[in-house]
Amino acid sequence: MNILIVGPSWVGDMVMAQTLFVCLKQRHPDCQIDVLAPEWSRPILERMPEVRQALSFPLGHGVLDMATRRKVAQSLRGQYEQAILLPNSLKSALVPFFAGIPKRTGWRGEMRFGLLNDMRKLDKQRYPLMIERFMALAFEPGVELPKPYPNPSLRIDAEIRDAALARFGLSLDRPVLALCPGAEFGESKRWPAEHFAQVAEAKIRDGWQVWLFGSKNDHGVGEDIRQRLIPGLREETVNLAGETSLAEAIDLLSCAEAVVSNDSGLMHVSAALGRPLVAVYGSTSPAFTPPLSDQVEVVRLGLDCSPCFERTCRFGHNNCMRELQAHVVIEALDRLLPQLVEVR
């Protein structure tokens, strides 16, 4: 049985989609799973043993381009018994329909009547977690999801890791604290740079080194964090944000002895790598997309105005993040560190 997954468009969602792949493999041990998704997601999918191949989808988010969709569909025709759609958009249903895949499964979402022939009506009360909404598509409607739920688990590429260590001149002679201060969704999900700097200072004084991760958009905040440290401490930090590929970031994160992250894609990557993780929440909620790992501390203030799920604070104060002090995160790290593995 060959199954085509139409994958999501965000890093964290793609990591969480592995829970669906695990369920499919449990139900159909001999099935082959291919994932049609943006090219950027290939390093994530290549680190999932359940996925046979990542198929690059050439169109950006929101682009219709019917001719290209028909061309992609033609290349897939006759290869799959089922397609499972994780996005809820109408556009995401076009390729499986044009490809003539016999069974096309997904939630009702936008107007997709006729495009899907195994359409499900979502009960948000029954499936409050995103992974539950993914996993449910592996089963017949109404089936109770088997527990415990699987956690995403990414394998690493040792060759890419070692090459990245050499390229950036990184050493593992001291434990590594990884900081992920970015959040592509918006400013409201960012814990302030001064708080990250205070955590970095505390761990450097304990004999650690600090690596900063993120996209090109996060390089500036990484430099802001570094510049808040006094000379002598600043030199114990490396700003990798925007310098690494996603593949390198994944494999270098596997070297971290602990991670502090906003609610972001790299938070989910860190959890899937089994790294001790402190996840900082403000405008969003761990009740929908929590980091999935046994070594996680979630910290949040739980103000009356949060979670708001807004990209920017409607009140302009960002108190849900600004008032969450560094000592709370440092104490959470201390609770996790007894579980620390040896430095590799």
Side-chain angles (χ1 to χ4, degrees):
M1 181 177 184
N2 292 340
I3 302 173
L4 177 71
I5 308 292
V6 179
S9 298
W10 296 92
V11 171
D13 294 358
M14 188 63 79
V15 173
M16 289 185 285
Q18 191 180 17
T19 58
L20 166 64
F21 309 155
V22 171
C23 289
L24 288 170
K25 281 291 189 179
Q26 289 173 346
R27 287 202 70 200
H28 313 286
D30 296 328
C31 75
Q32 299 297 324
I33 299 172
D34 295 342
V35 182
L36 181 65
E39 178 62 23
W40 62 256
S41 65
R42 183 176 297 275
I44 297 175
L45 295 169
E46 288 177 342
R47 285 156 175 77
M48 295 180 177
E50 301 82 10
V51 175
R52 178 175 64 177
Q53 61 178 333
L55 304 175
S56 179
F57 187 64
L59 299 180
H61 183 68
V63 177
L64 182 57
D65 192 345
M66 295 289 280
T68 298
R69 291 180 188 272
R70 288 184 180 276
K71 183 177 179 180
V72 171
Q74 185 61 36
S75 71
L76 302 175
R77 184 172 288 276
Q79 297 184 43
Y80 301 97
E81 286 72 48
Q82 183 180 14
I84 299 177
L85 286 66
L86 297 187
N88 291 328
S89 66
L90 183 149
K91 290 186 292 295
S92 67
L94 292 172
V95 168
F97 176 75
F98 292 150
I101 297 174
K103 185 177 182 180
R104 303 181 299 279
T105 302
W107 298 110
R108 180 177 295 177
E110 293 181 353
M111 294 294 291
R112 307 201 283 186
F113 296 97
L115 298 178
L116 301 183
N117 56 14
D118 179 25
M119 186 181 295
R120 314 290 181 84
K121 183 178 180 181
L122 177 61
D123 182 345
K124 294 183 179 181
Q125 298 300 316
R126 183 175 187 181
Y127 301 129
L129 294 173
M130 178 178 284
I131 61 164
E132 293 173 327
R133 300 175 188 183
F134 287 169
M135 293 165 58
L137 297 176
F139 301 93
E140 297 304 314
V143 171
E144 194 71 26
L145 298 181
K147 293 185 177 180
Y149 295 160
N151 286 336
S153 180
L154 300 178
R155 58 191 177 188
I156 65 165
D157 187 316
E159 289 188 8
I160 292 178
R161 178 198 62 195
D162 293 345
L165 288 170
R167 182 160 86 91
F168 295 107
L170 302 172
S171 170
L172 300 178
D173 59 339
R174 287 159 295 146
V176 175
L177 174 66
L179 301 182
C180 304
E184 293 297 321
F185 177 78
E187 189 65 30
S188 66
K189 292 174 70 172
R190 293 178 182 265
W191 200 41
E194 58 264 32
H195 296 346
F196 272 108
Q198 289 169 13
V199 174
E201 177 176 349
K203 299 313 294 179
I204 292 170
R205 292 188 183 279
D206 285 343
W208 290 50
Q209 57 180 315
V210 174
W211 300 352
L212 295 130
F213 290 87
S215 68
K216 290 182 180 179
N217 294 334
D218 305 320
H219 189 82
V221 70
E223 284 305 298
D224 188 1
I225 292 168
R226 293 187 70 250
Q227 293 306 314
R228 291 174 184 274
L229 298 170
I230 63 172
L233 300 183
R234 187 180 306 151
E235 289 73 20
E236 304 304 319
T237 66
V238 179
N239 186 5
L240 299 169
E243 303 297 328
T244 68
S245 65
L246 179 56
E248 290 172 326
I250 293 170
D251 295 329
L252 289 175
L253 274 169
S254 75
C255 300
E257 304 306 332
V259 181
V260 176
S261 179
N262 296 326
D263 175 15
S264 67
L266 290 181
M267 176 193 75
H268 291 285
V269 168
S270 300
L273 291 169
R275 299 298 82 206
L277 167 68
V278 178
V280 183
Y281 278 80
S283 64
T284 55
S285 170
F288 182 46
T289 55
L292 302 168
S293 170
D294 298 328
Q295 299 189 78
V296 172
E297 286 264 355
V298 171
V299 296
R300 60 188 298 266
L301 289 180
L303 302 182
D304 289 343
C305 58
S306 67
C308 66
F309 299 100
E310 300 287 345
R311 291 180 181 270
T312 57
C313 177
R314 70 183 72 175
F315 303 110
H317 53 53
N318 290 309
N319 282 348
C320 64
M321 285 299 208
R322 188 172 57 83
E323 294 184 356
L324 181 58
Q325 300 301 311
H327 72 85
V328 177
V329 169
I330 294 170
E331 291 164 3
L333 277 173
D334 290 341
R335 290 191 293 271
L336 286 171
L337 294 184
Q339 306 174 41
L340 202 57
V341 297
E342 293 182 3
V343 178
R344 288 160 294 179

